[in-house]
Amino acid sequence: MNSVRASAPLLENLTVYDPKYLPAKAYLSANENPHNVSEEVRREIVRRAKKLSLNRYPDPLASDLRAMIAEANGLETENVLIGNGGDELLFNAALAWGGPGRSFLNIPPTFSVYENNARLTGTAVVNIERDANYEIDEEAVLARMAKGDIDYIIIASPNNPTGKLADESFLLRLLEATDALVIVDEAYFEFSRTTMRPYLAQHKNLLLLRTFSKAFSMAGVRMGYILGDSAVITEFIKVRQPYSVDALAQLVACCVFENRNSFEHGILDIIEQRRVLFEALRTTPGVKVYPSDANYILFKVKQAAAVWQKIYDQGVLVRDFSQAPGLEGCLRVTIGTAEENQLFLRALKQALLPERG
Ligand SMILES: *Cc1c(COP(=O)(O)O)cnc(C)c1O
């Protein structure tokens, strides 16, 4: 036969995730760290990699790394699980807490991966939209959760792409009010300097998601982790692919995590650059800017798609969200080095000049 029957019906309305990566002088579209892992740490990675037995399967749960992450967070090993990027753990969440007949509460606009994973696993999606300033409608979320049929909820804090932390007292009210799995996505917590870690012991239904991709300059290698109750972690272990985190990724992540203090200076610099860039955007006519606790800033302009193109024509790649539901007119810029941010600002100001006739 030279034909193939249709794929699973739930794939029909799914769109392929597209990071829209294009060649540029300044990459400010993917919330990456502007600096590579240091020369010194990369040398150590190479030294250790030479001794690696590539013919052997890796340790499925990355025991060394897992123990290190547990200790750094004042937890036991069984409270930690690593994944092939935070993205794999988000997918595992949908496998373990979603599925046919089950429901996920989403708070858009937010990270589109959450809703995609739910759809992919046949999980019903309940959307409670953010308000015009992208704040969570807290009472609406609490009221919807009170119905008791939601199985898991994910709250990005800071939220991607809008930038702000969820209010801690809201998260605590939510945790008190539900036995649904509450995943707080802390992918950017190194930049917000805020975590729900202190509340893990009191709330078995609280799960924190973290990643090496942003603050730790490791987007290219794929490493994320979750922190939570050991019974929750056990359910995640049941659904994961045993060897999803390969030996090289484990080795690189161990080197980086052992040297995590050396990233602190760069993180503080990004936080300072965020302040500078926010101020510059705030005082640029024609730009509405949203406050950020992360390493990126969302802003709104007229004719955003055309402005995006003009910025790109100057060699600066930012992320265009202007066609995304709830984000009409929005672009997102990642905080880069001081030089990259200047390049971006110059390109933006140029792009906003009225056309000469
Ligand atoms: C980047 C990101 C992640 C995880 O990314 P990985 O590279 O897969 O670790 C998770 N959540 C949000 C909101 C993110 O922006």
Side-chain angles (χ1 to χ4, degrees):
M1 239 177 273
N2 189 23
S3 64
V4 59
R5 65 177 62 188
S7 65
L10 53 77
L11 300 191
E12 206 171 338
N13 296 315
L14 282 183
T15 46
V16 174
Y17 181 83
D18 176 11
K20 303 192 177 85
Y21 227 63
L22 296 166
K25 273 190 266 178
Y27 292 97
L28 303 178
S29 73
N31 301 343
E32 298 150 335
N33 192 310
H35 300 291
N36 195 355
V37 170
S38 73
E39 178 72 40
E40 197 187 337
V41 174
R42 277 184 289 148
R43 252 201 304 270
E44 176 63 14
I45 289 167
V46 170
R47 203 180 61 75
R48 290 192 206 176
K50 281 183 182 150
K51 297 187 207 147
L52 202 59
S53 301
L54 296 177
N55 56 321
R56 302 294 174 200
Y57 280 100
D59 173 359
L61 297 179
S63 310
D64 294 347
L65 180 62
R66 200 182 178 204
M68 226 189 315
I69 292 171
E71 196 195 341
N73 286 280
L75 293 165
E76 300 299 323
T77 304
E78 60 264 27
N79 299 121
V80 179
L81 184 66
I82 47 89
N84 188 304
D87 283 357
E88 183 194 24
L89 295 157
L90 288 168
F91 185 63
N92 291 347
L95 286 174
W97 258 263
R102 295 176 65 97
S103 299
F104 158 62
L105 194 140
N106 192 38
I107 312 179
T110 188
F111 199 37
S112 61
V113 168
Y114 308 155
E115 182 166 347
N116 242 44
N117 286 339
R119 298 208 180 281
L120 206 47
T121 52
T123 311
V125 178
V126 175
N127 279 319
I128 304 283
E129 307 275 337
R130 289 165 187 266
D131 72 13
N133 286 317
Y134 303 126
E135 301 279 357
I136 296 173
D137 187 343
E138 299 180 352
E139 300 314 315
V141 171
L142 290 167
R144 188 61 189 78
M145 294 300 290
K147 290 191 182 174
D149 63 329
I150 300 295
D151 296 293
Y152 73 106
I153 171 170
I154 307 178
I155 300 165
S157 183
N159 188 45
N160 181 10
T162 61
K164 276 193 65 177
L165 281 163
D167 189 60
E168 186 175 281
S169 57
F170 161 70
L171 292 175
L172 290 172
R173 277 171 76 201
L174 177 67
L175 286 162
E176 285 299 335
T178 183
D179 65 353
L181 183 65
V182 176
I183 302 175
V184 179
D185 184 342
E186 296 188 338
Y188 300 95
F189 99 104
E190 290 93 349
F191 305 105
S192 71
R193 324 300 279 180
T194 302
T195 173
M196 289 296 281
R197 161 67 190 92
Y199 305 107
L200 278 177
Q202 289 140 263
H203 298 285
K204 286 194 192 312
N205 60 335
L206 172 60
L207 190 74
L208 307 182
L209 178 75
R210 307 258 182 87
T211 178
F212 280 62
S213 295
K214 314 299 173 25
F216 292 158
S217 298
M218 249 181 68
V221 177
R222 315 309 298 133
M223 183 64 71
Y225 63 97
I226 47 176
L227 307 176
D229 186 71
S230 61
V232 171
I233 298 292
T234 299
E235 299 310 294
F236 273 72
I237 293 174
K238 289 181 188 171
V239 300
R240 77 189 289 272
Q241 298 292 312
Y243 298 117
S244 65
V245 181
D246 66 69
L248 266 174
Q250 293 187 25
L251 182 153
V252 173
C254 280
C255 283
V256 163
F257 203 73
E258 283 168 23
N259 288 283
R260 63 190 177 282
N261 289 340
S262 68
F263 288 82
E264 190 60 16
H265 176 77
I267 292 167
L268 292 175
D269 185 50
I270 287 167
I271 293 171
E272 169 60 13
Q273 292 303 322
R274 176 179 74 199
R275 188 190 62 75
V276 172
L277 190 53
F278 179 83
E279 211 34 43
L281 286 169
R282 197 182 61 78
T283 52
T284 302
V287 175
K288 177 173 167 58
V289 60
Y290 297 88
S292 173
D293 300 300
N295 68 336
Y296 50 85
I297 297 176
L298 189 78
F299 61 97
K300 200 174 262 186
V301 287
K302 289 212 174 73
Q303 294 174 318
V307 170
W308 178 91
Q309 184 64 52
K310 286 179 184 169
I311 295 172
Y312 181 64
D313 291 344
Q314 308 263 330
V316 181
L317 184 66
V318 299
R319 188 71 189 262
D320 180 5
F321 281 101
S322 62
Q323 311 302 316
L327 294 167
E328 291 76 14
C330 287
L331 304 178
R332 186 194 67 195
V333 59
T334 302
I335 313 298
T337 62
E339 296 72 33
E340 289 170 327
N341 301 336
Q342 279 312 311
L343 204 62
F344 158 71
L345 276 174
R346 245 180 288 136
L348 173 67
K349 286 183 179 163
Q350 190 77 31
L352 291 172
L353 290 178
E355 299 281 352
R356 268 172 294 182

